[in-house]
Amino acid sequence: MKQSKVIGLTGGSGSGKSTVAKALEHLGALIIDCDKIAHENMLKGGIAYNDIVNAFGRGILLTDGEIDRRKLGNMVFSDRTALSRLNSIAHPYIVDRVRTILSDVEGLAVIDAALLYEVGLDRLCDEVWVTQAPYPVRIERIMERDGITRQEAENRLSNQGKYDRGDKIIVTDFATLEDLEKYIKELI
């Protein structure tokens, strides 16, 4: 039987979750990026593509037939019902893929998922780490990362839940990546 440890990594948009995941990867962990899985699943020909287009209409498509993720994002992050509909389509496919990946893992694996608890992925974890950052910092990070307006960033955050439960809370205010990695080594 393979020996592994699974850490669930969660936190709201702009909270530093990706930076913590990169530090864990640098320390040898396998990162299972649920956003990446979701994006792959919604590519033309992907497992969730037809379901999403059927639910939201052909108006979300680019001229090449790919889903315009920015248009879809603006739609779902300003409407809780639409977000719930997208999540109900995407999440089962993501969970299935994570289970498949974990079935073949040795060593440290990290499930990087903003909606770790909501999807039930926390049940696959030995422990859960939560990243946090002050609201203004998160807004700035989201605007810079995604090239969106303040209002679009605020809409995204307004539709996110609270991220205050976990085995370890990591406030991402480290001066350098090296400081963060040192802290993570202590947590592991």
Side-chain angles (χ1 to χ4, degrees), residues 53-156:
V53 172
N54 288 337
F56 294 96
R58 299 193 61 77
I60 63 167
L61 298 178
L62 296 165
T63 56
D64 64 0
E66 291 292 347
I67 292 173
D68 183 338
R69 289 193 354 242
R70 186 171 182 167
K71 183 181 272 186
L72 180 61
N74 287 337
M75 184 184 299
V76 301
F77 289 121
S78 62
D79 179 347
R80 285 189 186 276
T81 303
L83 181 60
S84 179
R85 186 172 0 143
L86 178 61
N87 288 343
S88 71
I89 294 167
H91 291 168
Y93 294 124
I94 294 168
V95 171
D96 287 347
R97 181 74 179 124
V98 169
R99 286 181 188 277
T100 299
I101 294 168
L102 286 176
S103 70
D104 199 36
V105 168
E106 281 189 56
L108 179 60
V110 176
I111 302 172
D112 177 352
L115 300 177
L116 187 85
Y117 287 107
E118 293 84 348
V119 179
L121 289 169
D122 61 302
R123 294 188 293 266
L124 303 176
C125 302
D126 297 304
E127 59 184 56
V128 174
W129 294 8
V130 178
T131 56
Q132 294 182 344
Y135 184 83
V137 170
R138 293 174 65 199
I139 291 292
E140 292 301 319
R141 287 176 178 171
I142 294 167
M143 289 170 50
E144 183 178 324
R145 178 192 69 206
D146 298 344
I148 61 175
T149 67
R150 179 171 298 281
Q151 185 60 52
E152 289 170 322
E154 289 174 353
N155 285 347
R156 288 186 184 185

